[in-house]
Amino acid sequence: MNGTSFQEKLKKFPVEIGEMYEGQRIRRPDMYVEFGGPDIPKKFELVRVKPLEEVEDGKIVVLGPDLSDMKVGGSYPIGTLIEAAGKRVDKDIEGVLERRVHYFMNYIEGVMHLNQRSDIWLRISKRSYQKGLNSLKLVGEALMMLYKSSLPIIEKIQVTFYTDLPKVEEVLPEALAVYSARDARARTLKDEDVGEFYGCVMCQSFAPTHMCVITPNRIASCGSISWFDARAASNVDPKGPNFPVPKGDCIDPVKGVYEGINKTIREKTMGSVKSISLYSMFDHPHTSCGCFEAIAFYIPEVDGAGIIHRDFKGACVNGLPFSTMAGHTSGGTQNEGFCGIAVEYTRSSKFLQADGGWQRIVWMPSQIKERVKDGIPPDLTERIASENDVKTVSELKEFLKQKNHPVVERWKEEAEAGKEEAKAEELAPPEEAAQLQPTLFQPTVELPSTAGFRIILKNAKITAEKIIIKHAEKAK
């Protein structure tokens, strides 16, 4: 599609299309309808590359109710199948083209698109519906225009939307099988096998200080772009959101700290993020936008880590739901003890290796546990709790003791270290003891209240570098 015909089509389109709409949010009171999301379990997006003769260019089909047939404020299942063809369009870029659905959907005025693969969430605003965006066929037309104008190698493209639940359920297994095959291929490489990594800034409209680093051992946090996908995207569209990241010197192989990554991420985030660790959730964890499939989070009461995914309902073992932790994890910030991850990353040999990897995981939803069971060390499978085993941190602690989870050894080591430290302080000579930092132990300390909350510290041990004692000044 040449620039002239593209601009002509834009003029006739009922709503505006452009990068200025990236990052738009459509709140529930403003939405006409939504597809997918946390309340709709059946949804997917899939791109398949086909031979030229098997694709009917410009064909758009809606199998099921269209926008005009839907109830205002309703939530519906959806499946989006895009079939593309071209002499230079290779199957290796299917994942690349698929991730562009997120990119292009958000170009359409009044359309909000989140996530990817079988985790999508799509909303259409009332305002855009009233302006004439009253059919999914128009959404398909916009996608076709954007694909062809951005990627001229695509010669033919057709789109099918499934909104009838039985149809979505019929095609969903095919989509899941394709996702699994792509992920399996990506596992054949290790970070040490390649000369460069890749970056992705597709979500910077939502999180300006976020840049995803994609390596063979660490798939993009959205779960949809592997190292192979990012390489293909960079080759097909050199000016696009995926680009090479030189590895540079490896500063810390355990944490996954690379000089080249840090240099690139400083440039792409305008200095907001200076360093990241690929394989740690504690020391400069990888930033996240909001499209991550799951969150790895620290549980200090047991010195272990948990995993919660987007579709988990209710509160997890620490009493917090996914939405609350997502707010703390997303936005391109670095918060130690919270890290947005792809579910596939849990199968990586470098999965949180600086923090203990699977030896540190103590809780995860049963659905995810079953999904990645083949990646969990066999001796740990039954020692990791799920929502079916425990409901609270206290119950989790008892479960870990009963199962003799590896973190229990950490408790013993920490307890021994505490005893040794206390003993050293007791045996310290007077002159050395005088140099020890002053420590105040209080069974209960209540901090000043804030925002309606009372904060009480139990068995608090407060250490100060020095104590300064002054005469109180008399009030004038």
Side-chain angles (χ1 to χ4, degrees), residues 412-424:
K412 295 176 183 177
E413 291 170 7
E414 289 169 4
E416 287 300 318
K419 289 178 183 178
E420 290 297 323
E421 185 179 333
K423 186 176 180 181

Side-chain angles (χ1 to χ4, degrees), residues 113-377:
H113 184 284
L114 299 174
N115 312 328
Q116 60 292 313
R117 288 190 173 184
S118 58
D119 279 331
I120 57 169
W121 193 356
L122 178 66
R123 280 182 173 175
I124 310 292
S125 74
K126 292 176 182 175
R127 186 169 180 271
S128 286
Y129 180 82
Q130 291 162 358
K131 288 178 71 173
L133 190 67
N134 52 20
S135 172
L136 286 171
K137 288 186 176 183
L138 289 167
V139 176
E141 186 180 326
L143 287 175
M144 287 180 174
M145 285 192 290
L146 291 165
Y147 269 111
K148 283 195 166 185
S149 63
S150 300
L151 301 166
I153 61 171
I154 296 176
E155 298 173 43
K156 291 183 178 183
I157 186 168
Q158 65 184 42
V159 180
T160 304
F161 292 105
Y162 303 90
T163 59
D164 180 59
L165 181 56
K167 285 289 185 183
V168 175
E169 291 176 328
E170 180 184 328
V171 185
L172 180 58
E174 176 192 344
L176 296 176
V178 172
Y179 305 152
S180 295
R182 289 183 199 152
D183 293 341
R185 182 192 177 212
R187 290 178 216 136
T188 62
L189 272 184
K190 306 297 179 189
D191 286 358
E192 294 81 6
D193 299 335
V194 300
E196 61 186 5
F197 299 145
Y198 287 89
C200 181
V201 291
M202 192 177 295
C203 295
Q204 278 200 342
S205 57
F206 294 93
T209 58
H210 169 63
M211 182 192 98
C212 207
V213 180
I214 304 166
T215 81
N217 279 121
R218 198 182 196 285
I219 190 172
S221 300
C222 65
S224 64
I225 305 178
S226 69
W227 184 87
F228 286 110
D229 295 331
R231 182 181 64 174
S234 177
N235 291 334
V236 169
D237 186 10
K239 295 183 179 179
N242 299 114
F243 48 87
V245 175
K247 292 170 73 171
D249 292 336
C250 182
I251 299 170
D252 189 324
V254 177
K255 293 179 181 177
V257 183
Y258 288 84
E259 182 183 46
I261 289 178
N262 289 345
K263 181 176 183 294
T264 304
I265 210 164
R266 284 194 294 269
E267 294 170 356
K268 295 294 182 179
T269 65
M270 300 182 69
S272 296
V273 180
K274 296 176 173 57
S275 176
I276 65 163
S277 300
L278 293 175
Y279 324 130
S280 175
M281 60 187 287
F282 294 111
D283 186 4
H284 298 95
H286 195 296
T287 59
S288 303
C289 56
C291 291
F292 43 78
E293 290 186 300
I295 299 171
F297 61 96
Y298 182 54
I299 308 173
E301 295 88 344
V302 297
D303 196 20
I307 297 172
I308 183 172
H309 67 302
R310 189 173 295 278
D311 290 335
F312 184 75
K313 305 296 183 185
C316 70
V317 72
N318 64 0
L320 300 175
F322 178 89
S323 57
T324 300
M325 285 193 277
H328 192 67
T329 307
S330 60
T333 60
Q334 289 179 299
N335 296 301
E336 293 189 1
F338 292 88
C339 188
I341 62 171
V343 173
E344 176 62 23
Y345 174 51
T346 64
R347 290 190 172 95
S348 169
S349 60
K350 297 184 185 294
F351 169 59
L352 298 179
Q353 68 174 17
D355 310 326
W358 277 108
Q359 300 282 320
R360 200 76 177 275
I361 303 301
V362 296
W363 183 92
M364 61 194 305
S366 55
Q367 183 183 347
I368 290 298
K369 190 175 179 182
E370 183 62 31
R371 179 174 161 185
V372 300
K373 194 173 182 179
D374 59 333
I376 304 175

